[in-house]
Amino acid sequence: MKKILLASTSTLFGQEFLEYLFPEIIELFKNSKEILFIPYARPGGISLEEYSGKVKGAFKNLPFKVRGIHEFKDPKKAILEAGGIFTGGGNTFLLVDKLYRAGVMEVLKKRIQDGIPYLGTSAGTNIGGLTMQTTNDMPIVYPPAFKTLGIVPFNINPHYLDPDDTSTHKGETRETRIKEFHSINSQPVVGLREGGWLEVSGKNITLKGSQSARIFRANHAASEMPTGSSLNDLN
Amino acid sequence: MKKILLASTSTLFGQEFLEYLFPEIIELFKNSKEILFIPYARPGGISLEEYSGKVKGAFKNLPFKVRGIHEFKDPKKAILEAGGIFTGGGNTFLLVDKLYRAGVMEVLKKRIQDGIPYLGTSAGTNIGGLTMQTTNDMPIVYPPAFKTLGIVPFNINPHYLDPDDTSTHKGETRETRIKEFHSINSQPVVGLREGGWLEVSGKNITLKGSQSARIFRANHAASEMPTGSSLNDLN
């Protein structure tokens, strides 16, 4: 049975890294002795070691150990034997590129579908969707494909940001960008605001957290979905 | 002799489309009877026809005609015979994908290098750099490559946006994204603020307009370059 938590962001303003998610994380990984951390997204260009160290520090009082995937000789074997997996945020292009080049995209999908507890934040949440094509990140590397895990039957836009009516900046709003996505792609997009997350429990997908989500469908006006809603019919 | 204008944005807040650039555009295309417009970036997902119509309307009082590249049977021939070229903004992934699939990336580069007057705004400016990898756009389509025209020896980030110190949003700042770019790429990046443009005249590259630009180099702190500065040594 799938047990997944896909969060918009790792960190809320004024809080410590992952702080707001601790109760959920403890529940998600309650049967896991060791968590495998996938640091491939390398936020701000930091190293795999630095990033894993940050996560180990944040989780030091939680009842499980953390190891980075780069600490294993064989990343595929590491995923096959993991008791729980956390993919952190950063640059989605880097993350997807590395998952493909390490040859682990398929095995990661398979294990999550088989019920290994999975936590994603930001880029780690984006890859839970059908494709990474609604990321906000810069294409700093050319990945072999944009297809991702598809553990939910739609796309996700993490860190969803409402248009700022007071802004004089003429760059595209997030909503305009997603509209451009829908000019050539058909799957729905969940605009997941910071403070919100998707909880997948078996066949049920539920919006949780402090925020409503913005739902975008091709050829439909965008709509709001309050926290607590089921997304089972979104596909 | 190269004659190029690469603008951060087509439109300034409170102004009409391209309004602030009219004096420059008239000067750039003073010897052109007809301008070829490349609408492939399709902002907001509008059609090639709609986008070209918008440009024709904006230029209706200027002393040259405008035709969209999609009005020609052979897009390569259209570029070879054009008296001036304007590539408009929108989604850079769409633009680059279409330039490659139409087989015109190389011929466009060649003609600009040979001295055909070229105007780019936003996505049309981004492709003037070595690669499109410092775009702000969503990867709504998977282009055959990220390499672009390289008519300037660095990358460009159009619509460059300074960090907002009052924001509580935890998504990456533009500066963080460019830092991530430099964790695996070496070319400099010009953060071109709205209101600024690069003028290329033969071998000279000059920053023009109302704004300073922010210059990013791998392994260096970011720096400011005032308008009027030469970028001849940036590579």
Side-chain angles (χ1 to χ4, degrees), chain A residues 9 11-13 42-45 90-91 93-94 132-146 157 159-161 167-172 174 176-181 183-185 194, chain B residues 9 11-13 42-45 90-91 93-94 132-146 157 159-161 167-172 174 176-181 183-185 194:
Chain A
T9 183
T11 315
L12 289 181
F13 182 73
R42 303 205 287 113
N91 184 289
F93 290 85
L94 258 186
M132 58 163 286
Q133 292 178 275
T134 47
T135 178
N136 311 306
D137 297 334
M138 268 190 185
I140 64 173
V141 70
Y142 186 74
F146 284 162
N157 177 248
H159 300 282
Y160 180 75
L161 200 56
S167 173
T168 61
H169 188 71
K170 299 295 282 185
E172 291 87 345
R174 196 67 60 79
T176 298
R177 297 185 190 285
I178 295 170
K179 190 177 167 193
E180 289 175 357
F181 173 78
S183 74
I184 49 170
N185 298 277
E194 295 182 350
Chain B
T9 183
T11 315
L12 290 181
F13 182 73
R42 300 204 290 114
N91 184 288
F93 290 86
L94 260 186
M132 58 163 285
Q133 292 177 276
T134 48
T135 178
N136 311 307
D137 297 334
M138 269 190 185
I140 64 173
V141 70
Y142 186 74
F146 284 163
N157 177 247
H159 300 282
Y160 180 75
L161 201 55
S167 173
T168 61
H169 188 71
K170 300 295 283 186
E172 291 87 345
R174 196 67 61 80
T176 298
R177 296 185 190 285
I178 295 171
K179 190 176 166 193
E180 289 175 356
F181 172 79
S183 74
I184 49 170
N185 298 278
E194 295 182 350

Side-chain angles (χ1 to χ4, degrees), chain A residues 81-93:
Chain A
E81 296 177 354
I85 296 179
F86 169 31
T87 305
N91 184 289
T92 311
F93 290 85

Side-chain angles (χ1 to χ4, degrees), chain A residues 16-205:
Chain A
E16 294 299 312
F17 180 56
L18 294 167
E19 184 182 336
Y20 80 105
L21 283 173
F22 276 170
E24 312 298 325
I25 291 172
I26 290 168
E27 174 64 23
L28 179 69
F29 293 131
K30 65 184 173 191
N31 297 318
S32 313
K33 281 184 188 155
E34 191 172 283
I35 302 304
L36 183 72
F37 177 58
I38 301 181
Y40 291 158
R42 303 205 287 113
I46 63 172
S47 70
L48 302 175
E49 291 72 21
E50 280 177 276
Y51 197 11
S52 294
K54 185 178 174 184
V55 171
K56 288 177 188 181
F59 284 177
K60 67 177 187 295
N61 294 324
L62 300 194
F64 46 77
K65 282 178 61 180
V66 179
R67 282 180 78 186
I69 193 169
H70 60 289
E71 297 170 38
F72 294 80
K73 251 191 190 167
D74 181 347
K76 195 169 171 179
K77 195 156 169 269
I79 288 176
L80 281 169
E81 296 177 354
I85 296 179
F86 169 31
T87 305
N91 184 289
T92 311
F93 290 85
L94 258 186
L95 170 60
V96 169
D97 186 66
K98 197 68 200 282
L99 287 172
Y100 274 113
R101 291 186 199 282
V104 298
M105 187 69 89
E106 274 308 307
V107 68
L108 179 58
K109 176 178 180 163
K110 176 94 176 52
R111 288 232 60 204
I112 299 169
Q113 282 175 330
D114 287 349
I116 191 178
Y118 178 82
L119 168 66
T121 58
S122 193
T125 285
N126 185 277
I127 63 167
L130 293 170
T131 76
M132 58 163 286
Q133 292 178 275
T134 47
T135 178
N136 311 306
D137 297 334
M138 268 190 185
I140 64 173
V141 70
Y142 186 74
F146 284 162
K147 197 180 167 201
T148 48
L149 299 171
I151 52 180
V152 290
F154 44 76
N155 267 33
I156 300 170
N157 177 248
H159 300 282
Y160 180 75
L161 200 56
D162 292 290
D164 174 2
D165 292 336
T166 67
S167 173
T168 61
H169 188 71
K170 299 295 282 185
E172 291 87 345
T173 63
R174 196 67 60 79
E175 187 152 341
T176 298
R177 297 185 190 285
I178 295 170
K179 190 177 167 193
E180 289 175 357
F181 173 78
H182 276 144
S183 74
I184 49 170
N185 298 277
S186 60
Q187 65 263 44
V189 178
V190 174
L192 202 55
R193 294 186 177 91
E194 295 182 350
W197 65 87
L198 301 179
E199 183 189 273
V200 185
S201 180
K203 292 187 173 179
N204 292 314
I205 310 174

Side-chain angles (χ1 to χ4, degrees), chain B residues 34-235:
Chain B
E34 191 173 281
I35 302 303
L36 183 72
F37 177 57
I38 300 181
Y40 291 158
R42 300 204 290 114
I46 63 172
S47 70
L48 302 175
E49 291 72 21
E50 280 177 276
Y51 198 11
S52 293
K54 185 178 174 184
V55 171
K56 288 176 186 179
F59 285 177
K60 66 177 188 294
N61 294 323
L62 301 195
F64 46 78
K65 283 177 62 181
V66 179
R67 282 181 76 187
I69 193 169
H70 59 290
E71 297 170 37
F72 293 81
K73 251 192 190 164
D74 181 348
K76 194 169 171 182
K77 195 157 169 268
I79 289 176
L80 280 169
E81 295 177 354
I85 296 180
F86 169 30
T87 305
N91 184 288
T92 311
F93 290 86
L94 260 186
L95 171 60
V96 168
D97 186 66
K98 198 68 199 283
L99 288 172
Y100 274 113
R101 292 187 197 282
V104 298
M105 187 69 92
E106 274 308 306
V107 68
L108 179 57
K109 176 177 180 165
K110 176 92 175 53
R111 289 232 59 204
I112 298 169
Q113 282 175 329
D114 287 350
I116 192 178
Y118 178 83
L119 168 67
T121 58
S122 194
T125 286
N126 185 277
I127 62 168
L130 293 169
T131 75
M132 58 163 285
Q133 292 177 276
T134 48
T135 178
N136 311 307
D137 297 334
M138 269 190 185
I140 64 173
V141 70
Y142 186 74
F146 284 163
K147 196 180 166 201
T148 47
L149 299 170
I151 53 179
V152 291
F154 43 76
N155 267 32
I156 300 171
N157 177 247
H159 300 282
Y160 180 75
L161 201 55
D162 291 289
D164 174 2
D165 292 337
T166 67
S167 173
T168 61
H169 188 71
K170 300 295 283 186
E172 291 87 345
T173 63
R174 196 67 61 80
E175 188 152 339
T176 298
R177 296 185 190 285
I178 295 171
K179 190 176 166 193
E180 289 175 356
F181 172 79
H182 276 143
S183 74
I184 49 170
N185 298 278
S186 61
Q187 66 263 43
V189 178
V190 174
L192 202 55
R193 294 186 178 91
E194 295 182 350
W197 65 86
L198 301 179
E199 183 188 275
V200 185
S201 179
K203 293 189 172 177
N204 292 312
I205 309 174
T206 312
L207 176 66
K208 296 270 182 127
S210 59
Q211 303 285 329
S212 64
R214 194 145 180 93
I215 308 294
F216 302 89
R217 297 178 219 234
N219 307 314
H220 286 74
S223 61
E224 284 293 312
M225 181 168 278
T227 184
S229 300
S230 164
L231 284 83
N232 292 2
D233 296 331
L234 190 70
N235 57 60

